[in-house]
Amino acid sequence: GSDALHIGSPVYSKTLDQWFIPVSLPIFEENKLLGVLQAGLSPKYLSERLARINISKHDIIVFLDKQGAFLARNMELEKALGKTVEESRPFLVKDAPVNGVTHAPATLDAIPRIFGWTIQQQYGVITVVGLDQHYLLAPYTQQYSKERWRSILSTLVVLISGVGISLLLIRLSRKQEALGVSRESLSEAQRIAHIGNWELDLTRNQLTWSDEIYRIFGMVPQRFGATYEAFLETIHPEDRDEVNKQYQDAVTKRLPYDIEHRIVRRDDGRVRWVHERCEYVCNAQGEVVHCNGTVQDITERKQMESELRKLATTDFLTGLPTRRNFMDRLEDELARFYRTKGQPVSVAIIDLDRFKQINDEYGHTKGDQLLQHFSKLVSDDLRRIDMVGRLGGDEFGLVLPGTNIKDARIF
């Protein structure tokens, strides 16, 4: 893979209420993508540095991306962000020379200027200097302007190469060091935490998964491509429509994407639970252009939650519903009784005679066995819609939906 630094077009974050330039640096090891370092560079910061360069107040200096979108401008930055220069400019055409000079009105203020440019292919950045030709001495216009823009461009090349990009790389490096992880330990940390990350660039329709996502889904990175379709295929059939709907709503309606759902692993067919979250970045037109998300395996947590619910609602000795669970079911059946205007339901309270005597004569172990045996006898004789619960001690309750008093007595 390529480890080149990628500088994107400025995007506006409504959350932060400011513009930033997305910068990403892929990390590869033996042609295998380990991850992507990302940062947001402030257009205002770059523009302030451009404004410090000693040129006439009538001249402009701009940084553009490969599509001609403004990254920074030494003055009136707010007018430039979100706009692009004309596609016909010679530095934007196919096979444009790395350096050149042209005459044209400026994009924003239409002032005729002599423009000089240099293209830095490795970063995808075009540096342009525009000199106001009305303020140049007519006899020396051509010679003076050439020398002037060359001098300024030399300064700018040093600035962006030696300061801007270097500073950015240093910040990215420090950010990685602050997290205290190397390329290898980052992948290992994700494996231990059972959490992976993904990125989706909608402008290039490019999806990237970390290794841990492949592990969670039971896939091998070299055999399966990271695509949205491959992701949907791993989702449990009963959850697939809801997951797809929530993701599409997040992209088109900019709604939060935070969901728990089941997946079916590709390698062994086991069902696992995952928790997904996603944040998105919009351009100046409010369109979602980039998504960043995480996938975490929460199967163990779900199993623990299920066990806790079982403990909270099931009597540990008999395995029957607890008093609270029984009363909740009784309230539901009474509500249904009033709602259906007379659909019968019977409720019975049962206690075991002389149970205390059994405990006193034979011990509590035999008493517990008696409770367990009685619970099994009653449960085996009930319908699926009926419910028996232990209310406490030797007291039990029965809920018999659709059963009148006569039928309940037969039971």
Side-chain angles (χ1 to χ4, degrees):
S2 171
D3 58 355
L5 184 73
H6 175 72
I7 301 177
S9 301
V11 293
Y12 179 72
S13 170
K14 290 188 176 180
T15 303
L16 301 176
D17 190 25
Q18 66 181 20
W19 289 84
F20 69 92
I21 302 171
V23 182
S24 59
L25 180 65
I27 299 174
F28 289 88
E29 184 176 87
E30 298 179 354
N31 292 325
K32 182 179 180 182
L33 179 65
L34 297 180
V36 180
L37 290 177
Q38 291 185 308
L41 192 60
S42 169
K44 183 179 179 181
Y45 168 79
L46 284 179
S47 299
E48 289 174 349
R49 296 187 67 83
L50 295 182
R52 297 175 187 174
I53 298 175
N54 185 22
I55 61 174
S56 167
K57 65 179 181 179
H58 307 288
D59 302 332
I60 61 173
I61 307 173
V62 298
F63 289 157
L64 308 172
D65 68 6
K66 291 185 293 186
Q67 286 72 42
F70 285 94
L71 301 176
R73 198 171 190 264
N74 66 322
M75 58 182 177
E76 298 180 318
L77 173 65
E78 64 279 357
K79 294 182 180 180
L81 290 175
K83 296 183 175 62
T84 58
V85 300
E86 294 82 356
E87 295 181 357
S88 58
R89 293 298 170 94
F91 45 79
L92 293 180
V93 300
K94 185 178 180 180
D95 299 324
V98 175
N99 299 291
V101 181
T102 185
H103 298 253
T107 300
L108 298 181
D109 55 20
I111 296 176
R113 288 188 172 91
I114 301 171
F115 291 98
W117 77 84
T118 183
I119 302 175
Q120 294 179 277
Q121 299 285 3
Q122 67 272 37
Y123 304 127
V125 174
I126 305 171
T127 305
V128 181
V129 176
L131 307 180
D132 191 330
Q133 63 187 33
H134 293 298
Y135 288 85
L136 297 177
L137 296 176
Y140 307 101
T141 296
Q142 185 174 3
Q143 182 63 29
Y144 179 70
S145 61
K146 284 184 179 180
E147 294 300 327
R148 193 172 179 187
W149 72 256
R150 283 177 181 168
S151 175
I152 296 173
L153 284 177
S154 297
T155 303
L156 290 173
V157 169
V158 173
L159 173 65
I160 190 170
S161 300
V163 180
I165 300 301
S166 297
L167 180 60
L168 179 59
L169 291 175
I170 290 172
R171 287 183 174 179
L172 291 175
S173 177
R174 287 179 177 175
K175 182 179 180 181
Q176 185 183 23
E177 292 174 1
L179 292 173
V181 293
S182 63
R183 297 177 181 180
E184 295 79 9
S185 62
L186 176 60
S187 178
E188 183 68 9
Q190 289 195 354
R191 185 190 66 80
I192 294 173
H194 301 298
I195 183 170
N197 69 289
W198 57 268
E199 296 181 55
L200 176 59
D201 187 338
L202 294 173
T203 61
R204 295 185 291 178
N205 195 29
Q206 182 177 348
L207 177 64
T208 304
W209 287 351
S210 69
D211 284 352
E212 183 58 22
I213 290 185
Y214 285 101
R215 283 193 287 263
I216 291 173
F217 292 160
M219 298 179 178
V220 179
Q222 290 75 18
R223 297 181 184 176
F224 296 93
T227 65
Y228 184 67
E229 290 72 23
F231 162 69
L232 285 178
E233 288 178 3
T234 66
I235 299 176
H236 194 284
E238 295 178 5
D239 299 344
R240 189 172 298 156
D241 290 342
E242 180 62 23
V243 172
N244 185 48
K245 177 181 180 300
Q246 288 208 28
Y247 175 75
Q248 297 300 333
D249 286 346
V251 174
T252 59
K253 302 178 183 179
R254 288 178 288 178
L255 297 177
Y257 182 72
D258 192 331
I259 186 173
E260 295 180 356
H261 63 84
R262 293 166 292 175
I263 63 170
V264 181
R265 286 174 55 91
R266 280 287 190 90
D267 55 356
D268 54 22
R270 289 186 299 166
V271 176
R272 308 286 289 180
W273 277 91
V274 297
H275 176 207
E276 281 199 86
R277 298 186 65 183
C278 171
E279 294 182 350
Y280 45 82
V281 177
C282 300
N283 59 17
Q285 289 73 41
E287 301 168 332
V288 177
V289 295
H290 198 93
C291 298
N292 296 307
T294 59
V295 179
Q296 184 175 17
D297 188 332
I298 59 170
T299 305
E300 286 73 18
R301 194 197 81 191
K302 282 290 185 179
Q303 292 172 344
M304 186 177 296
E305 290 175 352
S306 177
E307 290 298 323
L308 290 174
R309 281 194 297 269
K310 185 177 179 180
L311 289 173
T313 59
T314 305
D315 178 63
F316 75 94
L317 177 63
T318 62
L320 298 179
T322 59
R323 180 186 186 91
R324 180 174 180 179
N325 194 9
F326 178 85
M327 297 305 295
D328 289 342
R329 173 67 183 276
L330 179 59
E331 289 181 4
D332 292 340
E333 288 300 327
L334 291 177
R336 185 185 61 81
F337 172 78
Y338 291 115
R339 186 172 61 251
T340 57
K341 296 180 180 179
Q343 181 69 24
V345 58
S346 295
V347 179
I349 304 298
I350 304 172
D351 59 13
L352 304 180
D353 294 338
R354 295 184 294 278
F355 179 72
K356 183 177 183 303
Q357 182 180 345
I358 294 174
N359 270 339
D360 293 340
E361 292 185 11
Y362 300 100
H364 289 282
T365 300
K366 293 298 182 181
D368 290 345
Q369 292 175 352
L370 174 61
L371 293 175
Q372 292 170 340
H373 182 67
F374 175 78
S375 299
K376 185 176 186 307
L377 287 177
V378 176
S379 298
D380 290 346
D381 206 35
L382 293 179
R383 302 168 299 175
R384 293 186 63 180
I385 62 173
D386 299 331
M387 181 182 186
V388 56
R390 185 184 181 192
L391 305 183
D394 63 342
E395 187 177 43
F396 296 83
L398 283 174
V399 176
L400 306 173
T403 305
N404 55 33
I405 296 178
K406 179 181 178 181
D407 293 335
R409 286 174 176 171
I410 295 176
F411 173 82

